[in-house]
Amino acid sequence: MSTPVLIVGAGPAGLSAALTLVKNGVPVRIIEKLAAFHTASRGTGMHSRSLEVFHFLGLLEDVRRAATPLHTMVAYKLPGGVEILKTWRIFERVSPTPDKPIVIEDGVTIGQYLLEGIFRDHLAELGVQIELGTELVSVEQNDDGVTATLKKTTKGGESREDTRVAYVIGADGARGVTRKLIGATFEGQTKDLDGQVWADADVEGLSADRWHLWSEPGQFTVSIRPTHHEGGFHIGVIGINFDPIDLTDPEKFVNFIYEKIGRSDLKISNFTSMSYWKPKMRMVNKFYSGRVFIVGDAAHVHSPTGGQGLNTSVQDSFNLAWKIALMYKGLACPDLLASYEAERLPVVAIMLKTTTDLYSHVVASKDEADDGRVDHSGWLQWRDEGLSQLQINYRWSPIVLDARGNGGLDLDALKLKAYEGYRGEPLHAGDRAPGAPALIDAAGAETSLHDIFKPTLHTVLVFSPETDDTESRVDAIVETALSYPKGTVQVIVLARNVVPKARAGGMAYHDMEGYAFGAYGVEKGKLTVVSVRPDAYVGAFVFDGEGLQTYFSRIFHQD
């Protein structure tokens, strides 16, 4: 086998990177320090952008089958713990639209171990297995690759192996070694007075169609949320100015809940997992060194409020993997890999601030506890539209190109909008690529942009104005796009009124309802070219073949 990319850690970040690389034809080796796969719920909230990524990777239907609804939340009055104070939804309902066809209307959750199992199944179908009981010890790298020293632990003892790999992706979490090996610092804060204990167990005496909450103002919240199997719940004791570290013993955990919420009628049993978490809000000062990269919790840790952790980790990996794939194949511009840090670091910095602000509402205030009030910024009610991660953009990125400029904003101003985006404003290079249904080919078959986009290809969208004097220009643009290495670019010609002329090597569609032209902000009568990256972000918004060449000079190696 060719020299693989070593992926350290088999959580969602590592598995996302692995599956994207394998689909790009890049061999991987995945190692996991644990001796067995965990069975804990951990990060469970799924946001819309992650579902889009799962769609592109071919996982979405399996995820939907395994996921459960994000139930209505119910707060109970203390003392007593039975009288209902308030019911509400943690997120506002959203509906799919042509440009955002894959959204979570009412919210979904999926236990992290279930999601990881889906990834592992898909990787196994492609011939990839995870090596358990194996951890990274050290790395030595040069211009040609990385020598990684691994430690393997089995019942027979420990052994070491030196292996040569092309790149290393550290997805080994906040306690992992990869971050330390590249000399990245973990900057931020730790909430020393706070703590959280989470468990998966069976609960009798509570309905399985609600997320149940009890909160003592300024002290603690007890959260009991249904999981995927009958009778199963994810239970948390969240302390503010109170550290429940002693509650990692199941008996003490249960007794605390009985005492504090007054619900000794509940039967809590059959614990399958229990973990303690000290609130930390930290991120690294750099995301890579040479051929060694870090993703997910290895690069950033933060409050689970807003459900951003797992989702952000998946986005890290999806951003990085296609770039490593091109570099691995010798096709990439030398500076392409540096764009991973340039793009993700500003996004993570703002995400960290957002989740830190939300953290202050994990325990109810005095007013909320007294009367059940839940307002815009209230207890466990998240109304920041950025949490869907559909607004994340990279308009400042050194590898994107917009022939129209960026409205006079400098790089710092653009980075400040990395997370919240530009709602209601025209699409620009660096934005998420919108969807568009009702695309009809010459045979009458219908498809959509999100079914056309692939994690292995740049997709060049040529919006034709359907005039005789632009046909030759469209031909030239198609020829330019297809001049890049085979298997890296696909070309789609779109027209408003008819199926445009077929061109060798390209596809042609009638944008029957005008969704594509509308979502991409194409000016009527103007030939427009939009290149969508393998991670479904707009890389270029230009008007001719020369502009397309300029963009691709930032992506592909030039002879």
Side-chain angles (χ1 to χ4, degrees):
M1 186 177 74
S2 302
T3 306
V5 172
L6 177 66
I7 297 176
V8 185
L15 296 172
S16 298
L19 187 57
T20 307
L21 286 167
V22 172
K23 285 183 174 289
N24 274 276
V26 176
V28 300
R29 181 178 180 183
I30 313 171
I31 63 172
E32 169 56 54
K33 182 178 180 179
L34 295 177
F37 298 122
H38 75 87
T39 57
S41 293
R42 296 184 182 174
T44 58
M46 288 292 109
H47 286 297
S48 297
R49 176 57 185 170
S50 292
L51 293 190
E52 287 189 345
V53 172
F54 298 156
H55 170 72
F56 299 135
L57 291 175
L59 304 175
L60 182 58
E61 293 311 309
D62 288 342
V63 170
R64 287 195 185 277
R65 279 192 291 269
T68 57
L70 188 57
H71 295 295
T72 298
M73 309 189 83
V74 180
Y76 298 91
K77 186 175 183 178
L78 293 178
V82 176
E83 180 183 346
I84 294 176
L85 283 174
K86 185 76 175 182
T87 61
W88 74 99
R89 301 199 66 82
I90 195 168
F91 296 111
E92 289 181 308
R93 280 190 170 96
V94 294
S95 298
T97 58
D99 63 321
K100 299 182 180 71
I102 305 172
V103 298
I104 304 171
E105 295 185 60
D106 291 317
V108 297
T109 64
I110 179 171
Q112 186 172 318
Y113 73 99
L114 292 173
L115 178 63
E116 291 170 3
I118 292 169
F119 269 105
R120 291 196 300 269
D121 289 345
H122 280 254
L123 284 164
E125 292 175 359
L126 298 170
V128 179
Q129 301 291 332
I130 288 86
E131 300 176 43
L132 293 169
T134 308
E135 59 186 292
L136 179 66
V137 175
S138 64
V139 294
E140 291 185 9
Q141 58 177 310
N142 57 25
D143 292 342
D144 300 321
V146 183
T147 298
T149 299
L150 311 180
K151 182 175 76 172
K152 298 185 176 183
T153 303
T154 64
K155 292 181 179 178
E158 294 181 356
S159 62
R160 296 208 172 204
E161 172 194 355
D162 289 336
T163 185
R164 191 69 173 166
V165 298
Y167 297 93
V168 174
I169 299 177
D172 46 349
R175 298 179 182 176
V177 69
T178 314
R179 180 183 70 254
K180 301 169 186 174
L181 292 177
I182 68 171
T185 59
F186 226 13
E187 302 169 352
Q189 62 175 312
T190 299
K191 297 289 188 179
D192 292 319
L193 299 179
D194 305 347
Q196 300 180 16
V197 176
W198 292 91
D200 289 301
D202 291 342
V203 179
E204 295 180 22
L206 280 179
S207 63
D209 61 351
R210 293 290 187 268
W211 183 338
H212 307 274
L213 295 155
W214 299 259
S215 193
E216 186 68 37
Q219 296 182 39
F220 69 84
T221 289
V222 172
S223 166
I224 305 182
R225 177 182 58 76
T227 57
H228 74 288
H229 74 271
E230 186 175 353
F233 287 78
H234 191 47
I235 311 170
V237 174
I238 305 164
I240 296 290
N241 299 313
F242 157 63
D243 189 348
I245 188 170
D246 293 337
L247 303 184
T248 52
D249 173 81
E251 183 176 354
K252 292 181 179 179
F253 184 78
V254 172
N255 287 338
F256 176 90
I257 292 174
Y258 287 165
E259 176 187 349
K260 296 298 183 181
I261 73 171
R263 293 295 303 273
S264 57
D265 59 306
L266 303 179
K267 182 180 178 181
I268 305 174
S269 61
N270 299 328
F271 283 80
T272 58
S273 74
M274 179 165 278
S275 60
Y276 168 78
W277 182 71
K278 171 70 72 175
K280 297 177 180 179
M281 295 77 166
R282 297 180 180 275
M283 66 176 290
V284 292
N285 61 329
K286 61 180 180 179
F287 279 52
Y288 77 104
S289 177
R291 290 173 170 260
V292 182
F293 298 80
I294 52 178
V295 295
D297 287 355
H300 43 81
V301 293
H302 39 86
S303 165
T305 48
Q308 297 297 279
L310 185 154
N311 294 275
T312 301
S313 299
V314 169
Q315 309 313 316
D316 287 346
S317 295
F318 203 51
N319 180 289
L320 173 64
W322 71 270
K323 299 170 183 177
I324 285 185
L326 285 180
M327 190 67 74
Y328 184 94
K329 297 173 184 178
L331 302 176
C333 165
D335 296 329
L336 182 62
L337 289 181
S339 70
Y340 166 60
E341 177 180 290
E343 292 181 347
R344 293 302 295 169
L345 196 150
V347 170
V348 170
I350 298 177
M351 179 276 297
L352 193 69
K353 181 182 183 305
T354 299
T355 56
T356 299
D357 291 343
L358 290 173
Y359 174 77
S360 63
H361 300 292
V362 295
V363 172
S365 69
K366 181 67 167 63
D367 289 340
E368 289 165 335
D370 286 344
D371 61 16
R373 177 176 54 82
V374 180
D375 59 25
H376 176 77
S377 59
W379 175 37
L380 290 175
Q381 186 179 45
W382 302 330
R383 292 295 182 260
D384 188 324
E385 292 183 32
L387 297 176
S388 72
Q389 301 198 347
L390 294 175
Q391 302 297 330
I392 289 173
N393 67 92
Y394 310 121
R395 290 192 182 189
W396 66 89
S397 171
I399 64 167
V400 306
L401 174 66
D402 198 307
R404 302 162 301 172
N406 274 306
L409 296 177
D410 61 21
L411 292 181
D412 289 339
L414 292 170
K415 290 177 182 178
L416 288 175
K417 303 277 280 185
Y419 190 75
E420 66 182 69
Y422 302 82
R423 294 178 188 83
E425 296 186 23
L427 183 83
H428 274 255
D431 293 348
R432 164 195 164 272
L439 303 180
I440 310 300
D441 68 12
E446 182 175 342
T447 188
S448 70
L449 286 181
H450 274 194
D451 288 330
I452 291 171
F453 297 153
K454 303 293 183 236
T456 57
L457 296 168
H458 272 81
T459 301
V460 175
L461 304 176
V462 183
F463 292 90
S464 172
E466 305 170 60
T467 58
D468 292 339
D469 62 334
T470 57
E471 284 299 301
S472 61
R473 292 171 59 201
V474 172
D475 291 341
I477 291 167
V478 172
E479 183 179 354
T480 296
L482 294 177
S483 69
Y484 291 93
K486 185 178 179 180
T488 61
V489 178
Q490 63 177 342
V491 182
I492 313 296
V493 181
L494 299 166
R496 294 179 187 268
N497 300 308
V498 296
V499 178
K501 182 183 78 174
R503 287 158 171 93
M507 294 176 280
Y509 295 97
H510 170 206
D511 183 18
M512 187 171 63
E513 302 294 337
Y515 291 133
F517 277 80
Y520 285 78
V522 177
E523 185 179 336
K524 189 172 183 179
K526 188 164 188 176
L527 176 62
T528 301
V529 185
V530 176
S531 184
V532 177
R533 309 184 330 183
D535 60 352
Y537 272 84
V538 175
F541 194 112
V542 296
F543 301 106
D544 51 33
E546 184 178 350
L548 189 62
Q549 286 180 319
T550 300
Y551 165 65
F552 277 136
S553 70
R554 304 176 182 187
I555 306 298
F556 294 111
H557 174 72
Q558 304 296 304
D559 294 328

